[in-house]
Amino acid sequence: MKITLLTGKTFDIQAALNMDIKIIKSPKAKRLTLRIDAKERLPILTIPSRCSAKRAVEFVEMHRAWLEENLQKIPAIKHFENGEKISLMGKEYIINHCPQKRCGVMIEEDNIIVSGSKEFLHRRICDFIKKKAQEQLLKKSQTLANKIGCHVNHVSIKDTKSRWGSCSSLENINYNWRICMAPKYVINYLVAHEVSHLLHQDHSREFWQCVKKLCPDAAKGRLWLKNYGKELYRYE
Ligand SMILES: [Zn+2]
């Protein structure tokens, strides 16, 4: 991207840096800032309007080592592939791509059979998991809610990169679709957590007692999410 300088000339910062970088020229920015967009795997440089291009280039050069180090740390994006083993609601399956079939996505014993062209394989499995998530997490939430005399209005499946679940005061629960690929005790913990919010909107002692009552393995499930949850976030 070329930016227009105060002098009216244009200057190509990316070319000067020989780097893939997104440049945002912001009249509101007070200073140069550099951050990394993990999803895009791209550095983002914000330039205040009164900053020279030379200064901007120097600024990025100064942080080049930091950028490279941290870009490398971003876990690679994963796409579902033929032959891959995945866990779905606590059961192991093998992805079996059968391009000639006309079944969409279906479960056959230990296989998740996916028809159609290879380029749609990943998307089809994502959609399939989201549908399963909607059905089964709704059922699980209702069962646990009944145990504590509560009611679940609606369960939605979300695609956020930052939360596993949430519960609103209107008795609606949201879950991240990727949770379906976690071990069963982890799914149970998350459902117990969100359902307990129907009674307690905070993370008080009473809240955690309720979680434990609904899911005795809660601590183990919570620890798993903390340690391995990011692996599941690799699926886009
Ligand atoms: Zn919570």
Side-chain angles (χ1 to χ4, degrees):
M1 180 188 114
K2 287 193 170 76
I3 65 161
T4 309
L5 304 175
L6 286 175
T7 56
K9 282 186 195 162
T10 59
F11 183 86
D12 192 335
I13 293 187
Q14 277 141 325
L17 286 163
N18 190 20
M19 183 192 279
D20 254 347
I21 185 166
K22 188 175 168 187
I23 316 256
I24 300 171
K25 242 188 122 182
S26 160
K28 277 189 200 155
K30 294 226 164 28
R31 57 193 173 89
L32 280 161
T33 53
L34 194 54
R35 64 183 178 90
I36 291 174
D37 183 327
K39 205 168 173 191
E40 302 282 333
R41 305 178 75 83
L42 206 64
I44 299 180
L45 176 71
T46 306
I47 309 180
S49 39
R50 297 193 68 81
C51 174
S52 75
K54 185 170 169 270
R55 169 85 189 97
V57 169
E58 277 170 7
F59 181 75
V60 177
E61 284 298 357
M62 219 163 74
H63 295 92
R64 190 183 275 269
W66 173 85
L67 275 179
E68 279 166 6
E69 195 192 321
N70 285 283
L71 280 167
Q72 264 177 18
K73 278 190 199 159
I74 303 171
I77 290 166
K78 250 191 188 169
H79 276 178
F80 295 113
E81 278 172 34
N82 182 34
E84 185 179 345
K85 245 193 204 168
I86 60 165
S87 172
L88 199 55
M89 299 308 285
K91 196 174 174 299
E92 298 275 323
Y93 294 97
I94 296 167
I95 296 172
N96 192 343
H97 182 213
C98 302
Q100 70 288 356
K101 284 203 175 175
R102 293 191 170 271
C103 60
V105 183
M106 65 170 195
I107 286 183
E108 216 176 70
E109 290 170 9
D110 296 342
N111 288 279
I112 297 178
I113 313 275
V114 191
S115 68
S117 121
K118 192 181 169 211
E119 55 176 314
F120 301 122
L121 180 92
H122 175 73
R123 185 52 39 213
R124 287 194 149 174
I125 295 177
C126 288
D127 292 345
F128 179 75
I129 295 177
K130 286 173 190 168
K131 219 176 120 209
K132 282 256 169 274
Q134 167 66 41
E135 292 161 13
Q136 303 202 12
L137 294 175
L138 172 67
K139 248 193 243 166
K140 265 184 189 288
S141 305
Q142 282 170 336
T143 308
L144 290 194
N146 279 341
K147 285 190 181 176
I148 53 168
C150 287
H151 168 77
V152 183
N153 220 358
H154 193 71
V155 161
S156 308
I157 303 305
K158 300 280 177 189
D159 190 3
T160 61
K161 279 270 183 178
S162 55
R163 2 183 27 173
W164 287 107
S166 60
C167 178
S168 79
S169 51
L170 299 169
E171 300 173 332
N172 295 325
I173 298 181
N174 297 323
Y175 292 108
N176 189 313
W177 67 277
R178 299 171 182 85
I179 195 65
C180 295
M181 295 185 284
K184 204 167 192 165
Y185 68 87
V186 181
I187 303 173
N188 291 343
Y189 154 67
L190 185 69
V191 175
H193 183 121
E194 299 312 333
V195 165
S196 298
H197 277 316
L198 294 168
L199 267 190
H200 309 277
Q201 269 87 51
D202 49 18
H203 289 117
S204 60
R205 242 176 85 137
E206 291 74 22
F207 164 81
W208 286 112
Q209 275 165 358
C210 183
V211 175
K212 218 176 155 193
K213 194 173 110 188
L214 292 175
C215 173
D217 265 347
K220 209 174 130 197
R222 200 174 167 208
L223 191 67
W224 190 96
L225 275 185
K226 192 169 163 248
N227 291 339
Y228 306 110
K230 51 185 172 296
E231 269 301 303
L232 297 184
Y233 273 125
R234 288 174 59 190
Y235 287 97
E236 286 272 301

